[in-house]
Amino acid sequence: MPILRTACLAMSLAAVGAPAFAQAPLDDGQAAYMGAHVFDRQIEVFREFCATDPAGAQALDTGVTQFRINNPDYVAAKGSKPDSPEFAATVQAVDAQFDQVAGTMRTQLASQPVGPQCTTLGDQLRQARFAALLEQAKRGAPPAPATP
């Protein structure tokens, strides 16, 4: 069951890797927005996966709701999108990269049992801390485990 947690963390970590696309390194506000943006994109993929199991979908939605309640810094980051043209280009580049990674996520998720995975993901989201995800991203992504 660690595939969902690993995928979730890996995508959050990739969000802060955006300076590779930017002309200048991202400041803290830009990095926080980018982390929140990619987190939301991940949740879209997970919702798509969980949609076939009503209990799993409910568990995921409950986890997302609790994550938002527990992480006002995430909510603030989502609400403070930088509006420079350079940053917009960075978001667009990260979105293009995410679209590729989302395909891999969907393939990996398709081999997992929906209900239990969605329940586990909901549990992990309830406990997750946005600031910790961003801090982990600054230190670098952990090695990816072998897919089951």
Side-chain angles (χ1 to χ4, degrees), residues 15-91:
V16 184
F21 299 108
Q23 295 296 322
L26 298 180
D27 64 30
D28 288 344
Q30 292 170 326
Y33 174 82
M34 191 65 71
H37 176 72
V38 173
F39 178 85
D40 286 350
R41 297 283 318 266
Q42 293 174 79
I43 295 302
E44 291 171 14
V45 173
F46 292 131
R47 281 193 168 124
E48 178 184 307
F49 171 69
C50 295
T52 61
D53 183 89
Q58 180 61 45
L60 177 65
D61 286 341
T62 299
V64 169
T65 298
Q66 192 63 51
F67 177 84
R68 289 181 176 142
I69 291 168
N70 292 343
N71 292 282
D73 52 339
Y74 158 81
V75 174
K78 265 314 273 183
S80 63
K81 180 180 180 180
D83 62 357
S84 73
E86 181 181 87
F87 187 72
T90 300
V91 171

